[in-house]
Amino acid sequence: MLLNNTKIFLCFWTLGLIAAFIFSLTPIKHSSDIGFPVYDKFLHLSCYFVMSTVACLSGKTWSMRYFLCFVTLLVSIGIEFLQPLAGRSFEAFDMLANLIGIIIGVFVMKLFLWRFPALISQ
């Protein structure tokens, strides 16, 4: 079992949430720094895809994995509501991109763990 150290993945998941919290609440100096709206949504989707895959590696059971992904979603929603306090804008589509990234991450991990069950303890 190569990937059975869930404590290490749990630390990475926690650090990922903290990093998302810090970067998402850092004020943007210029509106030109934002880039293209589609690129912004891709960043949201990919960030939460990675965090959900790490969350899945952090849990020993699917109940725990779903719980960690749900916490990830709640944190992303909380961040979005806090962004106006940091001089950034609230965007519902950011939350949708985060949710889609989490769903894709869980789906990919389900396939991965189904295909390679010997790599991780379930």
Side-chain angles (χ1 to χ4, degrees):
M1 292 184 203
L2 300 174
L3 301 175
N4 64 353
N5 199 341
T6 57
K7 290 180 183 179
I8 292 174
F9 288 112
L10 189 59
C11 289
F12 282 126
W13 174 75
T14 304
L15 289 173
L17 288 181
I18 292 169
F21 192 83
I22 291 170
F23 290 125
S24 297
L25 295 177
T26 302
I28 298 174
K29 294 179 184 176
H30 304 291
S31 61
S32 63
D33 292 342
I34 297 173
F36 298 108
V38 173
Y39 179 70
D40 174 57
K41 302 310 173 243
F42 176 75
L43 287 177
H44 279 267
L45 188 143
S46 59
C47 174
Y48 284 92
F49 167 79
V50 169
M51 284 200 292
S52 66
T53 58
V54 174
C56 287
L57 292 170
S58 300
K60 291 183 179 183
T61 65
W62 276 106
S63 298
M64 184 62 167
R65 293 170 183 144
Y66 290 139
F67 175 75
L68 293 173
C69 288
F70 182 69
V71 169
T72 303
L73 177 64
L74 290 180
V75 168
S76 78
I77 292 170
I79 287 171
E80 204 58 44
F81 279 100
L82 290 174
Q83 280 187 335
L85 300 175
R88 298 183 67 167
S89 60
F90 171 88
E91 291 188 37
F93 285 117
D94 286 352
M95 290 188 293
L96 180 62
N98 298 345
L99 174 63
I100 292 169
I102 291 169
I103 291 170
I104 293 171
V106 170
F107 179 74
V108 166
M109 288 307 295
K110 276 199 160 282
L111 288 175
F112 177 78
L113 295 175
W114 172 72
R115 179 71 174 100
F116 304 104
L119 289 179
I120 190 165
S121 60
Q122 290 191 22

